[in-house]
Amino acid sequence: MSAHTSQDGSLPRLLAAGILAGTAEIGLTYPLEYHKVRSQLPTALIDKIGRPALTLKLFRGCGTMMLGNGTKTVVRFVTYDFLSKQIADENGQISAPKSLAAGLLAGFLESTVLVPFEVAKIRQISSLATSPAGTFATFKRIVQLHGPLGLLYGFFPTLLRQGAASAVRFTAYNSLRQMADGFVTPGDRLSPAWATCLELLASYAAVITTMPIDVVKTRMQTLSGREAARGNNLLCTYQIFTTEGPRKLFSGMMPRLFRVTISSMVMFSFYEAAFKAVSFIDERPGARNSKSEISQPLAAK
């Protein structure tokens, strides 16, 4: 969820604030992510893993997800900032279509670099070992078993989920905003509280509509799931639907909805606190001269 703020900052400061806020949010909500992924695994594997107690097992893969968040944030910030400077006119302005194109390319690269971390995270969660390997040891093991391309398993579902979620969220929010504006007195603006509620409802719509894609992504990134589907996303979807029922395609929906709710409530505060905490970055000589073209909503995405 975007955090809307009028503050400006240099690229390094926005980057640091985004990484710190994202890391804090993941640490707070990761048990929900663990339960979501666990519920999406094949039933036989879930039985072998067992039900986790309130232990550190609930944080398996958390470090990997944090590293992935930091990496994708760097890629998104740097790519968008670079493209924005290249496509800006002589007055430094960027048209809406050009900004959209830059955002789409940044999102594509962000999703691409995120996939290996998603594969490693899911392998750690689905591991039967008492103490799963760390992030880079898991990377090494995946490459040994499947080659370098093994780190990109589930690439298409990941990209499709990200794109579909953004499209649904954007469309749902605009539709809800138009409806809400009809109840607002002409000349007045929708209150921030109502705007936040609309953003939350739009996020719920994105979660619900992309759940089947998310389940297929998880299956294709597990060893047993990918082998059973022979690497075919459509076959994986068909197998889940016919052998485990259509409800399985929506498994993990409640943990994901809860996580979206919590993230929506705390992300703005996390970002604001992180932005203030790293103010020393802009106090360096010449730092303010490197003001970024990145907008605050993108920074806190």
Coordinates of all heavy atoms in Angstrom, one line a residue, residues 208-284:
I208 N -8.3 -11.3 -3.8 CA -9.3 -12.3 -4.1 C -9.2 -12.8 -5.5 O -9.2 -14.0 -5.8 CB -10.7 -11.8 -3.8 CG1 -10.9 -11.6 -2.3 CG2 -11.8 -12.8 -4.3 CD1 -12.2 -10.9 -1.9
T209 N -9.0 -11.8 -6.5 CA -9.0 -12.2 -7.9 C -7.7 -12.9 -8.3 O -7.7 -13.6 -9.3 CB -9.3 -11.0 -8.8 OG1 -8.3 -9.9 -8.4 CG2 -10.7 -10.4 -8.6
T210 N -6.6 -12.7 -7.6 CA -5.4 -13.2 -8.0 C -5.0 -14.5 -7.2 O -3.9 -15.0 -7.3 CB -4.2 -12.2 -7.9 OG1 -4.1 -11.7 -6.6 CG2 -4.5 -11.0 -8.9
M211 N -5.8 -14.9 -6.3 CA -5.5 -16.1 -5.4 C -5.1 -17.3 -6.2 O -4.1 -18.0 -5.9 CB -6.6 -16.4 -4.4 CG -6.6 -15.5 -3.2 SD -5.0 -15.4 -2.3 CE -4.6 -17.1 -2.0
P212 N -5.9 -17.7 -7.3 CA -5.6 -18.9 -8.0 C -4.2 -18.8 -8.6 O -3.4 -19.8 -8.7 CB -6.6 -19.0 -9.1 CG -7.8 -18.3 -8.5 CD -7.2 -17.2 -7.7
I213 N -3.8 -17.6 -9.1 CA -2.5 -17.4 -9.7 C -1.4 -17.6 -8.6 O -0.3 -18.2 -8.8 CB -2.3 -16.0 -10.3 CG1 -3.4 -15.8 -11.4 CG2 -1.0 -15.8 -10.9 CD1 -3.5 -14.4 -11.9
D214 N -1.7 -17.1 -7.4 CA -0.7 -17.2 -6.3 C -0.5 -18.6 -5.9 O 0.6 -19.0 -5.6 CB -1.3 -16.3 -5.1 CG -0.2 -16.1 -4.0 OD1 0.9 -15.6 -4.4 OD2 -0.5 -16.5 -2.9
V215 N -1.6 -19.4 -5.9 CA -1.5 -20.8 -5.5 C -0.7 -21.6 -6.5 O 0.2 -22.4 -6.2 CB -2.9 -21.4 -5.4 CG1 -2.8 -23.0 -5.2 CG2 -3.7 -20.8 -4.2
V216 N -0.9 -21.3 -7.8 CA -0.2 -22.0 -8.9 C 1.3 -21.6 -8.8 O 2.2 -22.4 -8.9 CB -0.7 -21.6 -10.3 CG1 0.2 -22.1 -11.4 CG2 -2.1 -22.2 -10.4
K217 N 1.6 -20.3 -8.5 CA 3.0 -19.8 -8.3 C 3.7 -20.6 -7.2 O 4.8 -21.1 -7.4 CB 3.0 -18.4 -8.0 CG 4.4 -17.8 -7.8 CD 4.3 -16.4 -7.1 CE 4.2 -16.6 -5.6 NZ 5.4 -17.1 -4.9
T218 N 3.0 -20.8 -6.1 CA 3.6 -21.5 -5.0 C 3.9 -23.0 -5.4 O 5.0 -23.5 -5.1 CB 2.7 -21.5 -3.7 OG1 2.5 -20.1 -3.3 CG2 3.2 -22.3 -2.6
R219 N 2.9 -23.6 -6.0 CA 3.1 -25.0 -6.4 C 4.3 -25.2 -7.4 O 5.0 -26.1 -7.3 CB 1.8 -25.5 -7.0 CG 0.7 -25.8 -6.1 CD 1.1 -26.8 -5.0 NE -0.1 -27.1 -4.2 CZ -1.0 -28.0 -4.4 NH1 -1.0 -28.7 -5.5 NH2 -2.0 -28.1 -3.5
M220 N 4.4 -24.2 -8.3 CA 5.4 -24.4 -9.4 C 6.8 -24.1 -8.8 O 7.8 -24.4 -9.4 CB 5.1 -23.4 -10.5 CG 3.8 -23.7 -11.3 SD 3.9 -25.4 -12.0 CE 5.1 -25.1 -13.3
Q221 N 6.8 -23.5 -7.6 CA 8.1 -23.2 -7.0 C 8.5 -24.2 -6.0 O 9.6 -24.1 -5.4 CB 8.1 -21.8 -6.4 CG 8.0 -20.7 -7.5 CD 7.9 -19.3 -6.9 OE1 7.4 -19.1 -5.8 NE2 8.3 -18.3 -7.7
T222 N 7.7 -25.2 -5.7 CA 8.0 -26.4 -4.9 C 8.6 -27.5 -5.8 O 8.2 -27.6 -6.9 CB 6.9 -26.9 -4.0 OG1 5.8 -27.3 -4.9 CG2 6.3 -25.8 -3.1
L223 N 9.4 -28.3 -5.2 CA 10.0 -29.4 -6.0 C 8.9 -30.4 -6.4 O 8.8 -30.8 -7.6 CB 11.1 -30.1 -5.2 CG 11.8 -31.3 -5.9 CD1 12.5 -30.8 -7.1 CD2 12.8 -31.9 -4.9
S224 N 8.1 -30.9 -5.5 CA 7.1 -31.9 -5.8 C 6.0 -31.4 -6.7 O 5.6 -32.0 -7.7 CB 6.5 -32.4 -4.5 OG 5.8 -31.4 -3.8
G225 N 5.6 -30.1 -6.5 CA 4.5 -29.5 -7.3 C 5.0 -29.3 -8.8 O 4.2 -29.6 -9.7
R226 N 6.2 -28.9 -9.0 CA 6.7 -28.6 -10.3 C 6.8 -30.0 -11.1 O 6.5 -30.1 -12.3 CB 8.0 -27.9 -10.3 CG 8.4 -27.5 -11.7 CD 9.6 -26.6 -11.7 NE 10.0 -26.2 -13.1 CZ 9.4 -25.3 -13.8 NH1 8.5 -24.5 -13.2 NH2 9.8 -25.0 -15.0
E227 N 7.4 -31.0 -10.4 CA 7.6 -32.3 -11.0 C 6.2 -32.9 -11.4 O 6.1 -33.5 -12.5 CB 8.3 -33.2 -10.1 CG 9.8 -32.8 -9.9 CD 10.5 -33.7 -8.9 OE1 9.9 -34.5 -8.2 OE2 11.8 -33.7 -8.9
A228 N 5.2 -32.8 -10.5 CA 3.9 -33.4 -10.8 C 3.3 -32.7 -12.0 O 2.6 -33.4 -12.8 CB 3.0 -33.2 -9.6
A229 N 3.5 -31.4 -12.2 CA 2.9 -30.7 -13.3 C 3.8 -30.6 -14.5 O 3.5 -30.0 -15.5 CB 2.5 -29.3 -12.9
R230 N 5.0 -31.3 -14.4 CA 6.0 -31.3 -15.5 C 6.3 -29.9 -16.0 O 6.5 -29.7 -17.2 CB 5.5 -32.2 -16.6 CG 5.2 -33.6 -16.2 CD 5.0 -34.5 -17.4 NE 3.8 -34.3 -18.1 CZ 2.6 -34.8 -17.8 NH1 2.5 -35.6 -16.8 NH2 1.5 -34.5 -18.5
G231 N 6.3 -28.9 -15.1 CA 6.7 -27.6 -15.4 C 5.7 -26.8 -16.2 O 6.0 -25.7 -16.7
N232 N 4.4 -27.3 -16.3 CA 3.4 -26.7 -17.1 C 2.4 -26.0 -16.1 O 1.7 -26.6 -15.3 CB 2.7 -27.7 -17.9 CG 1.7 -27.1 -18.9 OD1 0.8 -26.3 -18.5 ND2 1.9 -27.4 -20.2
N233 N 2.3 -24.7 -16.3 CA 1.4 -23.9 -15.4 C -0.1 -24.3 -15.5 O -0.8 -24.4 -14.5 CB 1.5 -22.4 -15.6 CG 2.9 -21.8 -15.3 OD1 3.3 -21.9 -14.1 ND2 3.6 -21.3 -16.3
L234 N -0.5 -24.5 -16.8 CA -1.9 -24.8 -17.0 C -2.2 -26.2 -16.5 O -3.3 -26.5 -15.9 CB -2.2 -24.8 -18.5 CG -2.2 -23.4 -19.1 CD1 -2.5 -23.4 -20.6 CD2 -3.3 -22.5 -18.4
L235 N -1.3 -27.2 -16.6 CA -1.5 -28.5 -16.1 C -1.5 -28.5 -14.6 O -2.3 -29.2 -14.0 CB -0.3 -29.4 -16.6 CG -0.4 -30.9 -16.1 CD1 -1.7 -31.5 -16.5 CD2 0.8 -31.7 -16.6
C236 N -0.7 -27.6 -14.0 CA -0.7 -27.5 -12.5 C -2.1 -27.0 -12.0 O -2.6 -27.5 -11.1 CB 0.4 -26.5 -12.1 SG 0.5 -26.2 -10.3
T237 N -2.6 -26.0 -12.7 CA -3.9 -25.5 -12.4 C -5.0 -26.6 -12.5 O -5.9 -26.7 -11.6 CB -4.3 -24.3 -13.3 OG1 -3.3 -23.3 -13.3 CG2 -5.6 -23.7 -12.9
Y238 N -4.9 -27.3 -13.6 CA -5.9 -28.4 -13.8 C -5.8 -29.5 -12.8 O -6.8 -30.0 -12.3 CB -5.6 -29.0 -15.2 CG -6.5 -30.2 -15.5 CD1 -7.8 -30.1 -15.9 CD2 -6.0 -31.5 -15.4 CE1 -8.6 -31.2 -16.2 CE2 -6.8 -32.6 -15.7 CZ -8.1 -32.4 -16.1 OH -8.9 -33.5 -16.4
Q239 N -4.6 -29.9 -12.4 CA -4.4 -30.9 -11.4 C -4.9 -30.5 -10.0 O -5.6 -31.2 -9.3 CB -2.9 -31.2 -11.3 CG -2.3 -32.0 -12.4 CD -0.8 -32.2 -12.3 OE1 -0.2 -31.6 -11.6 NE2 -0.3 -33.2 -13.1
I240 N -4.7 -29.2 -9.7 CA -5.2 -28.7 -8.4 C -6.7 -28.7 -8.4 O -7.4 -29.2 -7.4 CB -4.7 -27.3 -8.1 CG1 -3.2 -27.3 -7.9 CG2 -5.4 -26.7 -6.9 CD1 -2.6 -25.9 -7.8
F241 N -7.3 -28.3 -9.5 CA -8.8 -28.2 -9.6 C -9.4 -29.5 -9.6 O -10.5 -29.7 -8.9 CB -9.1 -27.5 -10.9 CG -10.6 -27.2 -11.1 CD1 -11.2 -26.0 -10.5 CD2 -11.4 -28.1 -11.7 CE1 -12.5 -25.8 -10.7 CE2 -12.8 -27.8 -11.9 CZ -13.3 -26.7 -11.3
T242 N -8.8 -30.5 -10.2 CA -9.5 -31.8 -10.4 C -9.2 -32.8 -9.2 O -10.0 -33.6 -8.8 CB -9.0 -32.5 -11.7 OG1 -7.6 -32.6 -11.7 CG2 -9.6 -31.8 -12.9
T243 N -8.0 -32.6 -8.6 CA -7.6 -33.6 -7.5 C -7.9 -33.0 -6.1 O -8.1 -33.8 -5.2 CB -6.1 -34.0 -7.6 OG1 -5.3 -32.8 -7.5 CG2 -5.9 -34.6 -8.9
E244 N -7.8 -31.7 -5.9 CA -8.0 -31.1 -4.6 C -9.2 -30.2 -4.5 O -9.6 -29.7 -3.4 CB -6.8 -30.3 -4.2 CG -5.5 -31.2 -4.2 CD -4.3 -30.4 -3.8 OE1 -4.1 -30.0 -2.7 OE2 -3.4 -30.3 -4.8
G245 N -9.9 -29.9 -5.7 CA -11.1 -29.1 -5.7 C -10.8 -27.7 -5.9 O -9.7 -27.2 -5.6
P246 N -11.8 -26.9 -6.4 CA -11.6 -25.5 -6.7 C -11.3 -24.7 -5.4 O -10.7 -23.6 -5.6 CB -13.0 -25.1 -7.3 CG -14.0 -26.1 -6.8 CD -13.2 -27.4 -6.7
R247 N -11.7 -25.1 -4.3 CA -11.4 -24.3 -3.0 C -9.9 -24.2 -2.8 O -9.4 -23.2 -2.2 CB -12.1 -25.0 -1.8 CG -13.6 -24.8 -1.8 CD -14.2 -25.4 -0.5 NE -13.7 -24.8 0.7 CZ -14.0 -25.1 1.9 NH1 -14.8 -26.1 2.1 NH2 -13.5 -24.5 2.9
K248 N -9.2 -25.2 -3.2 CA -7.7 -25.2 -3.0 C -7.1 -24.1 -3.8 O -6.0 -23.5 -3.3 CB -7.1 -26.5 -3.5 CG -5.6 -26.7 -3.1 CD -5.4 -26.8 -1.6 CE -4.0 -27.0 -1.3 NZ -3.8 -27.2 0.2
L249 N -7.7 -23.6 -4.9 CA -7.1 -22.5 -5.6 C -7.3 -21.2 -4.9 O -6.7 -20.2 -5.3 CB -7.8 -22.4 -7.0 CG -7.5 -23.5 -8.0 CD1 -8.4 -23.4 -9.2 CD2 -6.0 -23.4 -8.4
F250 N -8.0 -21.2 -3.8 CA -8.2 -20.0 -3.0 C -7.6 -20.2 -1.6 O -7.9 -19.4 -0.6 CB -9.7 -19.6 -2.9 CG -10.2 -19.1 -4.2 CD1 -10.7 -19.9 -5.1 CD2 -10.1 -17.7 -4.5 CE1 -11.2 -19.4 -6.3 CE2 -10.6 -17.2 -5.7 CZ -11.2 -18.1 -6.6
S251 N -6.8 -21.2 -1.4 CA -6.2 -21.5 -0.1 C -5.2 -20.4 0.2 O -4.5 -19.9 -0.7 CB -5.5 -22.9 -0.1 OG -4.6 -23.0 -1.1
G252 N -5.1 -20.0 1.5 CA -4.2 -18.9 1.9 C -4.8 -17.6 1.7 O -4.1 -16.6 2.0
M253 N -6.1 -17.5 1.3 CA -6.7 -16.2 1.1 C -6.8 -15.4 2.4 O -6.5 -14.2 2.4 CB -8.1 -16.3 0.4 CG -8.7 -15.0 0.0 SD -10.2 -15.2 -1.0 CE -11.3 -15.9 0.2
M254 N -7.3 -16.0 3.5 CA -7.5 -15.2 4.7 C -6.2 -14.7 5.3 O -6.1 -13.5 5.7 CB -8.2 -16.1 5.7 CG -9.7 -16.4 5.3 SD -10.7 -15.0 4.9 CE -10.6 -14.0 6.4
P255 N -5.1 -15.5 5.4 CA -3.9 -14.9 5.8 C -3.4 -13.8 5.0 O -2.9 -12.8 5.5 CB -2.9 -16.1 5.8 CG -3.7 -17.3 5.9 CD -5.0 -17.0 5.2
R256 N -3.6 -13.9 3.7 CA -3.2 -12.8 2.8 C -4.0 -11.6 3.0 O -3.5 -10.5 3.0 CB -3.3 -13.3 1.3 CG -2.6 -12.4 0.3 CD -2.6 -13.1 -1.1 NE -2.1 -12.1 -2.1 CZ -2.4 -12.2 -3.4 NH1 -3.1 -13.2 -3.8 NH2 -1.9 -11.3 -4.2
L257 N -5.3 -11.7 3.2 CA -6.2 -10.6 3.5 C -5.8 -9.9 4.8 O -5.7 -8.7 4.9 CB -7.6 -11.0 3.5 CG -8.3 -11.4 2.2 CD1 -9.7 -11.9 2.4 CD2 -8.3 -10.1 1.2
F258 N -5.5 -10.7 5.8 CA -5.1 -10.2 7.1 C -3.8 -9.4 7.0 O -3.6 -8.3 7.6 CB -5.0 -11.3 8.1 CG -6.3 -11.7 8.7 CD1 -6.6 -13.1 8.8 CD2 -7.2 -10.8 9.2 CE1 -7.8 -13.5 9.3 CE2 -8.4 -11.2 9.8 CZ -8.7 -12.6 9.8
R259 N -2.9 -10.0 6.2 CA -1.6 -9.3 6.0 C -1.7 -8.0 5.3 O -1.1 -7.0 5.6 CB -0.6 -10.2 5.2 CG 0.8 -9.6 5.1 CD 1.8 -10.6 4.5 NE 3.1 -9.9 4.5 CZ 3.8 -9.7 3.4 NH1 3.4 -10.3 2.3 NH2 4.9 -9.0 3.5
V260 N -2.6 -7.9 4.3 CA -2.9 -6.7 3.5 C -3.4 -5.6 4.5 O -3.1 -4.5 4.5 CB -3.8 -6.9 2.4 CG1 -4.4 -5.6 1.8 CG2 -3.1 -7.7 1.2
T261 N -4.3 -6.1 5.4 CA -5.0 -5.2 6.3 C -3.9 -4.6 7.3 O -3.9 -3.3 7.5 CB -6.0 -5.9 7.1 OG1 -7.0 -6.5 6.3 CG2 -6.7 -4.9 8.1
I262 N -3.1 -5.4 7.8 CA -2.1 -4.9 8.8 C -1.1 -4.0 8.1 O -0.7 -3.0 8.6 CB -1.4 -6.1 9.4 CG1 -2.4 -6.9 10.3 CG2 -0.2 -5.7 10.3 CD1 -1.8 -8.2 10.9
S263 N -0.7 -4.5 6.9 CA 0.3 -3.7 6.1 C -0.2 -2.3 5.8 O 0.5 -1.3 5.9 CB 0.7 -4.4 4.8 OG 1.3 -5.6 5.1
S264 N -1.5 -2.2 5.5 CA -2.2 -1.0 5.1 C -2.2 0.0 6.4 O -2.0 1.2 6.2 CB -3.6 -1.2 4.7 OG -3.6 -2.0 3.5
M265 N -2.3 -0.6 7.5 CA -2.4 0.2 8.7 C -1.1 0.7 9.2 O -0.9 1.8 9.8 CB -3.1 -0.6 9.8 CG -4.6 -0.8 9.6 SD -5.5 -1.5 11.0 CE -4.6 -3.1 11.2
V266 N 0.0 -0.1 9.0 CA 1.3 0.2 9.6 C 2.3 0.7 8.6 O 3.3 1.4 9.1 CB 1.9 -1.0 10.4 CG1 0.9 -1.5 11.4 CG2 2.2 -2.1 9.4
M267 N 2.1 0.5 7.3 CA 3.2 0.8 6.4 C 3.5 2.3 6.3 O 4.6 2.8 6.3 CB 2.8 0.3 5.0 CG 3.9 0.4 4.0 SD 5.4 -0.6 4.5 CE 6.5 -0.2 3.2
F268 N 2.4 3.1 6.4 CA 2.6 4.6 6.4 C 3.4 5.0 7.5 O 4.4 5.8 7.4 CB 1.2 5.3 6.4 CG 1.3 6.8 6.4 CD1 1.6 7.5 5.2 CD2 1.2 7.5 7.5 CE1 1.7 8.9 5.2 CE2 1.3 8.9 7.5 CZ 1.6 9.6 6.4
S269 N 3.1 4.5 8.7 CA 3.8 4.9 9.9 C 5.3 4.5 9.9 O 6.2 5.2 10.2 CB 3.2 4.3 11.2 OG 1.9 4.8 11.3
F270 N 5.5 3.2 9.4 CA 6.9 2.7 9.2 C 7.7 3.6 8.3 O 8.8 3.9 8.5 CB 6.8 1.3 8.7 CG 6.5 0.2 9.7 CD1 6.1 -1.0 9.3 CD2 6.6 0.5 11.1 CE1 5.8 -2.0 10.3 CE2 6.3 -0.4 12.0 CZ 5.9 -1.7 11.6
Y271 N 7.0 3.9 7.1 CA 7.8 4.7 6.1 C 8.1 6.1 6.7 O 9.2 6.6 6.5 CB 7.0 4.8 4.8 CG 7.7 5.6 3.8 CD1 8.7 4.9 3.0 CD2 7.5 6.9 3.5 CE1 9.4 5.5 2.1 CE2 8.3 7.6 2.6 CZ 9.2 6.9 1.8 OH 10.0 7.5 0.9
E272 N 7.1 6.8 7.3 CA 7.4 8.1 7.9 C 8.5 8.1 8.9 O 9.4 8.9 8.9 CB 6.1 8.6 8.5 CG 5.0 9.1 7.5 CD 5.4 10.3 6.8 OE1 5.6 11.3 7.4 OE2 5.5 10.2 5.5
A273 N 8.5 7.1 9.8 CA 9.5 7.0 10.8 C 10.9 6.7 10.2 O 11.9 7.3 10.6 CB 9.2 5.8 11.8
A274 N 10.9 5.8 9.2 CA 12.2 5.5 8.5 C 12.7 6.7 7.8 O 13.9 6.9 7.7 CB 12.0 4.3 7.6
F275 N 11.8 7.4 7.1 CA 12.2 8.6 6.3 C 12.9 9.6 7.3 O 13.9 10.3 6.9 CB 11.0 9.2 5.7 CG 11.3 10.3 4.6 CD1 11.7 9.9 3.4 CD2 11.3 11.6 5.0 CE1 12.0 10.9 2.4 CE2 11.6 12.6 4.1 CZ 12.0 12.2 2.8
K276 N 12.3 9.8 8.5 CA 12.9 10.8 9.4 C 14.2 10.2 10.0 O 15.2 11.0 10.2 CB 11.9 11.0 10.5 CG 10.7 11.8 10.1 CD 9.7 12.0 11.2 CE 8.4 12.7 10.8 NZ 7.4 12.8 11.9
A277 N 14.3 8.9 10.2 CA 15.5 8.3 10.8 C 16.7 8.4 9.9 O 17.8 8.5 10.4 CB 15.2 6.8 11.1
V278 N 16.5 8.4 8.6 CA 17.6 8.5 7.7 C 17.8 9.9 7.1 O 18.4 10.1 6.0 CB 17.5 7.5 6.5 CG1 17.5 6.1 7.1 CG2 16.2 7.7 5.7
S279 N 17.3 10.9 7.8 CA 17.4 12.3 7.4 C 18.9 12.7 7.2 O 19.2 13.6 6.4 CB 16.7 13.2 8.3 OG 17.3 13.1 9.6
F280 N 19.8 12.0 8.0 CA 21.2 12.4 7.9 C 21.8 12.2 6.5 O 22.8 12.8 6.1 CB 22.0 11.5 8.8 CG 22.0 10.1 8.6 CD1 22.9 9.5 7.7 CD2 21.0 9.2 9.2 CE1 22.9 8.1 7.4 CE2 21.0 7.9 8.9 CZ 21.9 7.3 8.0
I281 N 21.1 11.4 5.7 CA 21.6 11.1 4.3 C 21.5 12.4 3.5 O 22.4 12.7 2.7 CB 20.8 10.0 3.6 CG1 21.0 8.7 4.3 CG2 21.1 9.9 2.1 CD1 20.2 7.5 3.8
D282 N 20.4 13.2 3.7 CA 20.3 14.4 2.9 C 21.1 15.6 3.5 O 21.1 16.7 3.0 CB 18.8 14.8 2.8 CG 18.1 14.0 1.8 OD1 18.7 13.3 1.0 OD2 16.8 14.0 1.8
E283 N 21.7 15.3 4.7 CA 22.5 16.4 5.3 C 23.9 16.4 4.8 O 24.7 17.3 5.1 CB 22.5 16.2 6.8 CG 21.1 16.4 7.4 CD 21.0 16.0 8.9 OE1 22.0 15.6 9.4 OE2 19.9 16.2 9.5
R284 N 24.3 15.4 4.0 CA 25.6 15.4 3.4 C 25.7 16.5 2.4 O 24.8 16.9 1.7 CB 25.8 14.0 2.7 CG 25.8 12.8 3.6 CD 25.9 11.5 2.8 NE 24.7 11.4 1.9 CZ 24.8 11.1 0.7 NH1 26.0 10.8 0.1 NH2 23.7 11.0 -0.1

